[in-house]
Each structure stands twice: as structure tokens, then as C-alpha cells.
Amino acid sequence: MTIRTRFAPSPTGYLHVGGARTALFSWLYARKHGGKFVLRVEDTDLERSTAESVNAILEGMTWLGLEYDEGPFYQTQRFDRYNAVIDQLLESGHAYRCDCPRERLEKLREDAMARKEKPRYDGCCRAKQVSPEEPHVVRFRNPLDGAVLVDDLVLGKMVFDNSELDDLIIRRSDGSPTYNLSVVVDDMDMRITHVIRGNDHVMNTPRQMNILRALGQEPPRYAHVPMILGDDGARLSKRHGAVSVMQYREKGILPEALLNYLVRLGWSHGDQEIFSLDEMIELFDIDQVNKAPSAFNTEKLLWLNQHYIKSADPKRIAHLLSPHIGDLGIDPAQGADLAEVAEAQKERAQTLVEMAQISAFVYKDFEAFDEVSAKKNLRPVAREPLEKLKAALEALEDWTPEALHQVVADVSEALELKMGKVAQPLRVAVVGRAASPGIDVTLYLAGKAATLRRIERALEYIAQREQG
Ligand code: GLU
């Protein structure tokens, strides 16, 4: 049997982390078993579905690299098929027309509520022959007795009594098929073997299984994954910061870091934290997913991101960093090679946004010295070393890290100072603050003209301090 999984988002918003994790689990399961992963857009809620949202979801999937083998299929393009199946169910007696007026249904509901019972349709029209010409809905004729066993791959075995499930509407009075019906027809037509989805759908499962059986189909396996909570234990929402996958890109998170983070939300393999895609595919299994909800932990995501920034090819980091540098109003083509910058900064940034910020000095003069760094390092004692450095650097033709290192070493020696005493004021002069890559690389990346200009500026700053 070929394993076939699907991701079936409703395009009523962006791709959020919960959806992305469901998609990842479905994708991994298909990849692990050499199966197929299908993308299906559940856009039947015409009022809430938007084209922008479809695009946002597709964009998120592409960014994460969750490529699908089939689809995207759109439910709105399959109404004829759903209606044909509804007609088939009507013909076989597994569905019936219902013309109960709204008032009657309201009354049923109110009475049930008053008795503190779950509101359910009482099957009044089961035996009636409502004419297709009359306004009506179509209901599924749920079995009256017996039970549905859901052997969930995550939640375990659950039994639902049919007496608890009422006759679900499968076609509305306007002729449109309902959610549960469309899902069933799609899962059947797309030959889905494993339905992996959020556990907010657990209650739909026995109903969907009953409809499938009425259609002569053996239901697929189900796996309902628990929800994701914020750091504070509440259901993850906008309040917790970024929830859209694309917002993580904007924050400078690498897709592999987010995937690694997501796979660990509710799944583990010993105490291993870092998983390459290949390892995920090899080690992941849906039946090892935790039943309990998992809490989102931003610190951990940042830690993973830093790990991937450090281990990625600097050329690729440069490519991903470029737009973030652009966001700072900088054209990275005018200055040092961005891959060299990425290599130099990889130990120092948890996100690409941070990397862009700490690398801006390479391309443009900073606005003001960081006060603490300047107070500590640009003191009158730094004047002489800076003057000497300036003279030596002005004369230097070979602007390489090696030659630059030598200049700093020579000046330190001549002044009988430790290298740090010379390098640190120089660093603050060129970068604006006391943290940057090694001084040789820092100067190399900033370039000769900017270095000299900024030493001059630091000397002016010291002179002002001497006066004031
Ligand atoms: N469209 C549903 C949702 O976005 C998913 C339904 C399913 O996976 O069966 O919640």
C-alpha cells in the first residue's frame, strides 16, 4: 500500500505554526514511507476564504520546503463531485431530505439545553419523503445504534456511540455541500491512507468514518496532533508574537531552524535536539507524537536558529541576509562581499535581522557611538594609539586581515601596550561599539576609506572629551 497523506488548510488566514507543524508531520510521514503528500485547499467557506490567504499558505509551504506531490486541489472546484456523492447517498438511502423549519430546530435545541443535554437533531424527517422541489437540506442517516471505534495513532483508541452522533447536514438549503461531506469525498477520491490533522477535528472523525462506510469505503487511519500553547500555557495566538510562518522569515529565522523546532513540538527522539531533514524523515514516526499539548518556546527556536546560522554555507546565509541588509537602507553590493560578512558574524547572531544590524558598519557609518563602549574605550589614553594606527593604516597598501593584524600588533609593541588596549579603541572607532569580529576582519570588512574616516571621527570625539 502506498502511504498517502494530505495537508488540508482552510485559507482564512496565513500559514500559522500549528498548521505548519501539521503539514510537516504529514509530509514527513509520506516521505518516510516513500508515499505521496497531497495539498488540498479547503476553501468552501466563501465568506472567509481569500486568494491572499491561499497565496500566503503556498508561500509558507514553499519557504519551508514542504513540497507536495499532488495538488493544490481546491474544494470550490469540486462541488459537482460532492453533489454527485450526496445524490448517491440519497439514492442508497444513506441520506434523506429534511424540511424541518428553523423554528422547530431552534425549539429542539432550546429544549435540549434546558435538559442540559447536547442539542441534536431528532430524525423527524427520516421517514418523510420530502420532495426535491421543496426547500430542504440533506442529512446523513447516521446509524442509530452501535459505536464507532477510532484507533487514533496519537490519541489511542476512542469509542463514540452512534446514539451520540445525530444526522449531520451534508448539503445546505442553498445546495452547497458541508465541510464534513467535502472532506470525506476528498479523502476518498484522493485515496488518503493517513489523515494527520489538529485535534480540534477529533469530534468530526466518527461522523466522517460513518459517511465513508456508507459509501462502501474503509476509512483511513487518523492521527490527531495536540495543539500548540504559548510560553504562558494559553493557546498560541497573535498575542504571543509571530504566529505566521512568514513572520518568522521576516524575523530572520532560517526555514531549517523552524522545521527542526516544529518537529520537536510534541515529538522527541531521546534527548536529541538537532535534526537534519534526512534524520527527521528517518526517525520521525507519527505514533510517537505526544498526546499532551506542547508549549512554544522562543528561546529554543533562537538557539536552533543560531546553530543553523553557524553551520550553513555562508554563501547561502549571504543570500538570505541580503534582504535584511536592504531593510536597513543599505545596498550590500556597495562594499564587502556579504558571504565574508556572514562568515565573520555567524557566531554572533541569533537571527538574520540581528546579523544585519551588527553588520551595518561594514557598509555605512554608524550614527552615534554606543555610549558605554565609547566612555570606556575612547578616553584620552586612546588618542596616541589611534593616531599611530591611523598613520600606519594610511600607509598600508595590502588591506588584508593578515596585514591589518600586523599593523595592530606593531603599534601595540611600539607603545608597549597589550594588543587589547589598542584593538578595543580601534574597534569602537570603526564599529561604534565594543563588539565585532576579530579586529583584523573588522577592519578588512569595513575597508580602508571608512576605517580612516572613522578613526578621525573617534579622535574628534576624544578631543571633545579632553576639552570638556
Ligand atoms: N480544513 C481544516 C482546517 O484547516 C482541516 C480539515 C482536515 O484536516 O480534515 O482546520
Side-chain angles (χ1 to χ4, degrees), residues 6 8-10 40 42 179 183 187 195-197 200-201 208:
R6 76 330 188 255
S10 304
R40 177 168 91 218
E42 304 208 320
Y179 161 73
V183 167
D187 285 341
V195 169
I196 298 170
R197 61 183 172 194
D200 45 334
H201 289 285
Q208 293 179 4

Side-chain angles (χ1 to χ4, degrees), residues 348 389 401 404-405 408-409 419 422-431 436-446 451:
R348 309 176 167 272
L389 284 163
L404 289 160
H405 176 85
V408 179
M419 239 177 99
V422 172
Q424 205 56 353
L426 178 57
R427 170 175 284 117
V428 176
V430 175
V431 182
S436 79
I439 193 68
D440 48 355
V441 175
T442 299
L443 301 182
Y444 164 73
L445 292 174
T451 299

Side-chain angles (χ1 to χ4, degrees), residues 57 78 107 122-123 168 205 217 228 235 263 372 405 465:
I57 291 167
R78 291 177 39 83
K107 176 119 194 357
D122 61 355
L168 199 71
T205 304
Q217 299 290 321
I228 301 176
R235 191 179 182 140
V263 83
V372 178
H405 176 85
R465 243 177 116 166

Side-chain angles (χ1 to χ4, degrees), residues 285-341:
D285 219 328
I286 191 70
D287 58 10
Q288 293 163 356
V289 170
N290 233 313
K291 281 193 210 32
S294 2
F296 201 87
N297 177 339
T298 306
E299 287 298 307
K300 194 164 155 197
L301 173 60
L302 291 174
W303 176 80
L304 281 167
N305 203 47
Q306 174 141 47
H307 165 82
Y308 283 103
I309 286 179
K310 277 195 258 183
S311 40
D313 175 358
K315 284 212 186 67
R316 174 161 168 263
I317 296 294
H319 177 69
L320 300 174
L321 179 64
S322 180
H324 297 289
I325 292 274
D327 286 347
L328 300 177
I330 295 169
D331 174 5
Q334 311 296 317
D337 178 3
L338 209 45
E340 286 183 329
V341 174

Side-chain angles (χ1 to χ4, degrees), residues 187-449:
D187 285 341
M188 171 175 80
D189 288 357
M190 296 167 194
R191 304 189 315 286
I192 301 302
T193 59
H194 291 74
V195 169
I196 298 170
R197 61 183 172 194
N199 71 0
D200 45 334
H201 289 285
V202 168
M203 293 308 294
N204 290 323
T205 304
R207 303 169 186 283
Q208 293 179 4
M209 288 170 75
N210 277 338
I211 301 177
L212 280 165
R213 288 193 173 123
L215 290 165
Q217 299 290 321
E218 206 26 57
R221 295 301 306 269
Y222 293 88
H224 289 94
V225 299
M227 59 183 170
I228 301 176
L229 307 176
D231 323 55
D232 58 356
R235 191 179 182 140
L236 192 68
S237 71
K238 275 200 193 124
R239 213 158 39 76
H240 296 101
V243 278
S244 149
V245 158
M246 297 316 282
Q247 271 174 290
Y248 285 100
R249 183 173 74 172
E250 281 161 32
K251 287 178 168 221
I253 300 292
L254 302 183
E256 60 268 41
L258 189 57
L259 287 175
N260 192 152
Y261 181 72
L262 291 174
V263 83
R264 285 283 292 103
L265 269 182
W267 174 78
S268 57
H269 180 75
D271 48 19
Q272 184 170 343
E273 290 292 355
I274 308 283
F275 294 89
S276 68
L277 266 192
D278 285 344
E279 278 177 307
M280 286 187 212
I281 293 171
E282 188 194 326
L283 300 171
F284 176 81
D285 219 328
I286 191 70
D287 58 10
Q288 293 163 356
V289 170
N290 233 313
K291 281 193 210 32
S294 2
F296 201 87
N297 177 339
T298 306
E299 287 298 307
K300 194 164 155 197
L301 173 60
L302 291 174
W303 176 80
L304 281 167
N305 203 47
Q306 174 141 47
H307 165 82
Y308 283 103
I309 286 179
K310 277 195 258 183
S311 40
D313 175 358
K315 284 212 186 67
R316 174 161 168 263
I317 296 294
H319 177 69
L320 300 174
L321 179 64
S322 180
H324 297 289
I325 292 274
D327 286 347
L328 300 177
I330 295 169
D331 174 5
Q334 311 296 317
D337 178 3
L338 209 45
E340 286 183 329
V341 174
E343 175 63 26
Q345 297 284 29
K346 66 182 183 184
E347 303 276 347
R348 309 176 167 272
Q350 283 193 307
T351 69
L352 298 175
V353 167
E354 208 184 314
M355 188 182 272
Q357 283 161 354
I358 61 173
S359 304
F361 82 90
V362 173
Y363 301 97
K364 71 169 187 192
D365 290 349
F366 51 88
E367 272 172 25
F369 290 108
D370 167 61
E371 242 178 78
V372 178
S373 309
K375 271 216 173 90
K376 180 155 176 239
N377 297 288
L378 299 184
R379 287 183 293 157
V381 287
R383 192 166 47 79
E384 198 188 0
L386 284 176
E387 278 169 353
K388 283 218 157 16
L389 284 163
K390 188 171 171 245
L393 291 169
E394 226 158 13
L396 185 72
E397 300 213 333
D398 176 26
W399 199 262
T400 58
E402 298 75 26
L404 289 160
H405 176 85
Q406 203 49 54
V407 167
V408 179
D410 291 349
V411 169
S412 311
E413 208 184 289
L415 294 173
E416 293 183 7
L417 287 170
K418 280 199 185 136
M419 239 177 99
K421 292 272 178 229
V422 172
Q424 205 56 353
L426 178 57
R427 170 175 284 117
V428 176
V430 175
V431 182
R433 56 179 192 282
S436 79
I439 193 68
D440 48 355
V441 175
T442 299
L443 301 182
Y444 164 73
L445 292 174
K448 187 167 183 173

